[in-house]
Amino acid sequence: MVSRVIPVESFDLVIFGGTGDLARRKILPGLYRRFCAGQMPEGARVIGAARADHTDDEFRKLVADSIKEFVPAGRRDAATIKDFAERLHYVSIDARGDKGWSALAKLVRKDVIQAFYFSVGPGLFGDIATRLHKHKLAGNEARIVVEKPFGRDLESAKALNAVLADSFDENQIYRIDHYLGKETVQNLMAVRFANVLFEPLWNAQYIDHVQITVAETVSVEGRGAYYDKSGAMRDMVQNHLMQLLCLTAMEPPSKFDPDAVRDEKLKVIRALDPVPAENIVRGQYGADKDGDSYIAHSENPASKTESFIALKVDISNWRWKGTPFYLRTGKRLKARMSEIIVHFKETPHSIFEEDAGSHANVLTIRLQPDEGMDLRVTIKEPGPGGMRLVDVPLDMTFADALGPDAEDVPDAYERLIMDVIRGNQTLFMRGDEVEAAWSWTDPIIEGWQQRGDQPKTYEPGSSGPEDALMLLHRDARRWREIRK
């Protein structure tokens, strides 16, 4: 199987925060892989920009070291790294001052695609956008890429959108959520809208409920100060889980076009019901055997910030009324796992004996770690002895289905960066979409703050607090097990 590589035009990509952790772990190794795939045309350049003083050669060594650390040995070689390094440049810059901006203006070309990646804290977005405009660095076709968080509430999101809009048009702003670049997330749209099999059944008449889980094994270590002002609701639900919910629930767009897709996602967010207190479970992981706990990394020993949250969400529209969406995410859980479970209803009438049991089709969309999908169907158990029914999966694990080509499936950041260069905003959030998500999120957060709710303590390495299990048990349903 040979994948089709869509060529791109020559470009200058400036990475603000080019020596930071995200650039080292994801952006620069991803660009190297796209270079290996032939997607960096002759003359394309990557320019690192950060406060630290480095020469071009020092930056090239830093990037080479990142590639050696974060790209598997079988996917790299010294000669290709050297060729890639020749495309790299560096400028020492002060995001809030004048240092380096004249040098950057001389370096960035006007006759190629210009892209500026804000791999910095959101507090610097406005300063960088303003200085790009002031120094006439960005032309009318330039693109800026901004990382989450897009504000911490509706008010700050509106302020951030306004600051960016002072210097750039909406069609130049790419709000990146790496979950939307995952192969399986995009395959969700393909499964829904390229197969007549699913779309007629994709509604409350046939689907009993939907579960969306993003489980992490890591703690908040190193991010305690940030996380204590954020929590799982702001950090994960308002963006990552919200995007997965929208892609699962949205109506078919008229075409696979950026605004057509984002219009339908926006309609889903606006149809979300307010979430009552009884449909919210918040948790905070306690101490493990070594005494490591959430509180150990928090600046507040009495912190009420949640490291886990589970929600029962209802969508008030014709397609989904009566079908709940259960969302959960948390840190220090049993396993690292992200998946969407679409649980279809049981058949309206069974023609088989009572001992055949009850059976329902389940579509599982795995985002990580083993990207793929499987559909659980009911068949007769092989062998004599009557009609015994069993459930078996029709499995499409990408690593198995694609064989050796599975290693060439681009990482989410690789795909999204190339979409920026191509000017394709389909997988990026629009400003009104971000604000609508905060409009739904803010009252939920304000509600538990006013009530003074204390998150439930849960054991590290578990599936979260017991109350989260009861959220489904009271509806005679069960969470899909978080599996190691």
Side-chain angles (χ1 to χ4, degrees):
M1 177 178 173
V2 179
S3 60
R4 181 169 66 95
V5 176
I6 302 174
V8 297
E9 299 177 41
S10 191
F11 61 87
D12 278 352
L13 172 61
V14 180
I15 306 172
F16 293 100
T19 59
D21 189 63
L22 177 63
R24 289 184 58 254
R25 287 176 174 272
K26 291 293 184 180
I27 301 172
L28 291 161
L31 286 166
Y32 168 76
R33 282 175 55 100
R34 291 302 90 205
F35 176 78
C36 295
Q39 285 194 289
M40 284 187 66
E42 195 66 34
R45 303 184 306 175
V46 178
I47 302 167
R51 180 181 289 273
D53 291 318
H54 290 298
T55 64
D56 285 353
D57 285 341
E58 288 171 340
F59 180 61
R60 288 164 182 160
K61 184 180 185 305
L62 181 149
V63 174
D65 290 343
S66 297
I67 292 169
K68 291 172 185 174
E69 183 175 358
F70 297 110
V71 175
R75 313 302 297 174
R76 65 175 194 260
D77 67 82
T80 310
I81 293 175
K82 184 175 182 297
D83 290 342
F84 175 67
E86 292 177 359
R87 309 289 189 95
L88 304 177
H89 302 270
Y90 184 82
V91 175
S92 176
I93 206 161
D94 181 357
R96 290 197 165 115
D98 293 325
K99 175 188 174 183
W101 288 99
S102 295
L104 184 60
K106 291 176 183 177
L107 188 58
V108 175
R109 297 168 293 175
K110 300 293 190 287
D111 58 345
V112 299
I113 293 170
Q114 302 164 332
F116 302 92
Y117 200 124
F118 294 11
S119 180
V120 294
L124 294 176
F125 289 173
D127 294 291
I128 294 174
T130 300
R131 282 165 177 73
L132 285 173
H133 185 69
K134 173 184 175 182
H135 291 273
K136 297 180 172 57
L137 267 156
N140 293 333
E141 301 299 319
R143 298 98 199 238
I144 63 169
V145 185
V146 292
E147 280 279 348
K148 80 173 187 76
F150 313 112
R152 69 182 310 276
D153 53 24
L154 178 59
E155 182 181 358
S156 58
K158 284 183 174 180
L160 177 56
N161 282 338
V163 167
L164 297 178
D166 284 341
S167 301
F168 294 93
D169 293 334
E170 180 63 35
N171 62 11
Q172 294 179 279
I173 303 170
Y174 291 70
R175 298 171 186 82
I176 191 169
D177 185 334
H178 72 275
Y179 264 63
L180 296 187
K182 290 181 177 294
E183 191 72 23
T184 324
V185 173
Q186 295 174 75
N187 253 311
L188 171 58
M189 287 189 281
V191 165
R192 286 195 57 191
F193 305 133
N195 296 281
V196 73
L197 176 66
F198 287 108
E199 188 56 27
L201 308 179
W202 208 264
N203 54 59
Q205 184 177 352
Y206 296 102
I207 293 178
D208 180 75
H209 70 280
V210 177
Q211 299 179 22
I212 301 177
T213 296
V214 177
E216 300 179 281
T217 56
V218 297
S219 71
V220 299
E221 184 176 3
R223 299 179 71 213
Y226 161 77
Y227 209 85
D228 215 34
K229 296 179 177 64
S230 171
M233 187 70 179
R234 287 189 174 100
D235 187 52
M236 295 294 289
V237 175
Q238 186 273 337
N239 41 74
H240 294 331
L241 274 73
M242 178 70 74
Q243 291 300 308
L244 299 180
L245 184 153
C246 286
L247 291 175
T248 305
M250 72 182 193
E251 295 295 323
S254 59
K255 54 186 174 180
F256 192 61
D257 166 87
D259 278 330
V261 171
R262 295 187 295 180
D263 285 346
E264 298 304 334
K265 288 163 59 185
L266 180 60
K267 291 177 187 177
V268 173
I269 299 173
R270 288 176 172 169
L272 295 175
D273 286 346
V275 182
E278 62 269 20
N279 288 348
I280 304 169
V281 176
R282 297 167 63 240
Q284 186 185 96
Y285 65 86
D288 62 15
K289 61 182 179 181
D290 298 318
D292 185 50
S293 65
Y294 178 88
I295 292 297
H297 301 291
S298 171
E299 295 180 341
N300 178 8
S303 173
K304 295 182 179 180
T305 301
E306 75 284 356
S307 60
F308 173 99
I309 189 166
L311 303 163
K312 178 183 177 182
V313 177
D314 293 306
I315 304 175
S316 284
N317 61 21
W318 277 42
R319 182 181 289 263
W320 294 114
K321 188 65 174 179
T323 293
F325 284 67
Y326 298 97
L327 316 180
R328 65 173 170 172
T329 183
K331 295 189 178 296
R332 288 305 309 270
L333 298 179
K334 184 186 299 185
R336 175 176 174 264
M337 182 185 86
S338 297
E339 63 182 20
I340 302 168
I341 305 293
V342 181
H343 203 291
F344 291 86
K345 293 182 178 180
E346 296 181 13
T347 54
H349 170 69
S350 176
I351 66 172
F352 304 107
E353 300 290 339
E354 289 186 6
D355 60 4
S358 61
H359 300 268
N361 303 120
V362 178
L363 176 65
T364 301
I365 301 155
R366 299 187 305 276
L367 309 180
Q368 61 184 21
D370 301 316
E371 288 192 77
M373 302 185 186
D374 68 65
L375 175 64
R376 192 177 75 187
V377 296
T378 303
I379 66 169
K380 175 189 175 297
E381 185 178 29
M387 183 64 73
R388 298 189 303 272
L389 302 181
V390 294
D391 295 327
V392 297
L394 300 177
D395 192 0
M396 192 196 79
T397 301
F398 287 167
D400 296 335
L402 300 180
D405 289 324
E407 295 184 8
D408 294 324
V409 172
D411 174 81
Y413 276 97
E414 298 173 43
R415 175 180 292 103
L416 293 173
I417 291 172
M418 288 298 104
D419 278 353
V420 172
I421 302 300
R422 296 188 186 99
N424 184 351
Q425 289 187 307
T426 305
L427 300 175
F428 297 84
M429 285 178 282
R430 207 166 55 194
D432 55 357
E433 187 181 345
V434 171
E435 292 179 13
W438 280 119
S439 294
W440 177 77
T441 304
D442 279 358
I444 298 173
I445 297 173
E446 290 167 6
W448 72 56
Q449 288 176 341
Q450 291 173 2
R451 293 188 300 270
D453 292 353
Q454 183 73 37
K456 308 292 184 181
T457 301
Y458 63 94
E459 184 179 347
S462 68
S463 296
E466 288 292 322
D467 288 35
L469 302 178
M470 295 306 299
L471 191 64
L472 269 76
H473 285 180
R474 73 186 189 202
D475 296 338
R477 300 181 176 109
R478 298 179 64 87
W479 285 110
R480 167 85 160 223
E481 182 184 357
I482 297 177
R483 303 172 306 280
K484 289 186 178 180

